[in-house]
Amino acid sequence: MRHYRERRSRADVGLDRRPGDGRSTRLRQPDVDEALGCGVGVYQKVESGRLRPSPELFLRIAEALGFSPHDRRVAHLDLFGSEPPPPIGQPSPDWQRSVDGQREMMCVVAPNGKLVAYNVPFAAMFGDDDIPSNFWRWALLCDHARDTALRDWEQDWAPYLLEECRLLSFRYREHEAIRCLYLDLAEDPRLAMLPRVDADLNGRVGLLRHAEQGIRRVRIMAADSEGLRLLTFLPAGA
């Protein structure tokens, strides 16, 4: 932490120059407390190893001090024994090139549900209808998904989709769009009646109605990269 702090200035963390500092703008330990709204001396204890921060405080410090993604992961693993939640940033445009090269239905979904990229087989599922801009909202709140596209929605799809969003709401507690999404899901009466499951989408098999291919059985292969959810829908046996 000291390595990163000494490379930052007060301006880098949104603070004005202190009166009497002359030309010096170097970020000091009390400045970090001020920038984060912490109690006096909290950051000094963290930097010296006398106080173990909460995961939330650590991530705020790492963001303020400009940790590299690699050092952010290493420090989080060292402190808490787990990977930090991937930061939500602007997705690379190369994701579209990646999914274009896939033969099976595939899409890339941001944590807030935004469809970052999808290929032609995925788009063909909707026929002449518009491609939804938000995958989670479409799959869980849209009547087209509930009653037409995702067969046996209440049993084979919605409980596992909802668990994905529940996990995201804990992973990104401070993200406004994700918080609003989960609040909308929590207020929906059909979703409130669903059974609770203890698994995510990966490996699930379900039926979907494809605009061109009719009802087909698919296996969902889910993977994570850069905070994004990569969903591939493979043909599954009967």
Side-chain angles (χ1 to χ4, degrees), residues 137 140-141 161-170 175-188 191 196:
R137 287 187 177 276
L140 284 166
L141 295 173
L161 289 160
L162 188 59
E163 192 61 26
E164 292 269 343
C165 293
R166 180 173 176 271
L167 176 61
L168 289 167
S169 73
F170 284 101
H175 195 281
E176 180 66 21
I178 295 173
R179 185 164 58 249
C180 289
L181 167 65
Y182 197 68
L183 287 174
D184 290 343
L185 298 178
E187 293 174 357
D188 185 86
L191 293 175
R196 176 74 185 279

Side-chain angles (χ1 to χ4, degrees), residues 100-117:
D100 284 342
Q102 303 301 316
R103 182 179 64 183
E104 307 295 347
M105 293 173 54
M106 184 177 180
C107 65
V108 179
V109 185
N112 62 3
K114 179 181 178 181
L115 268 179
V116 171

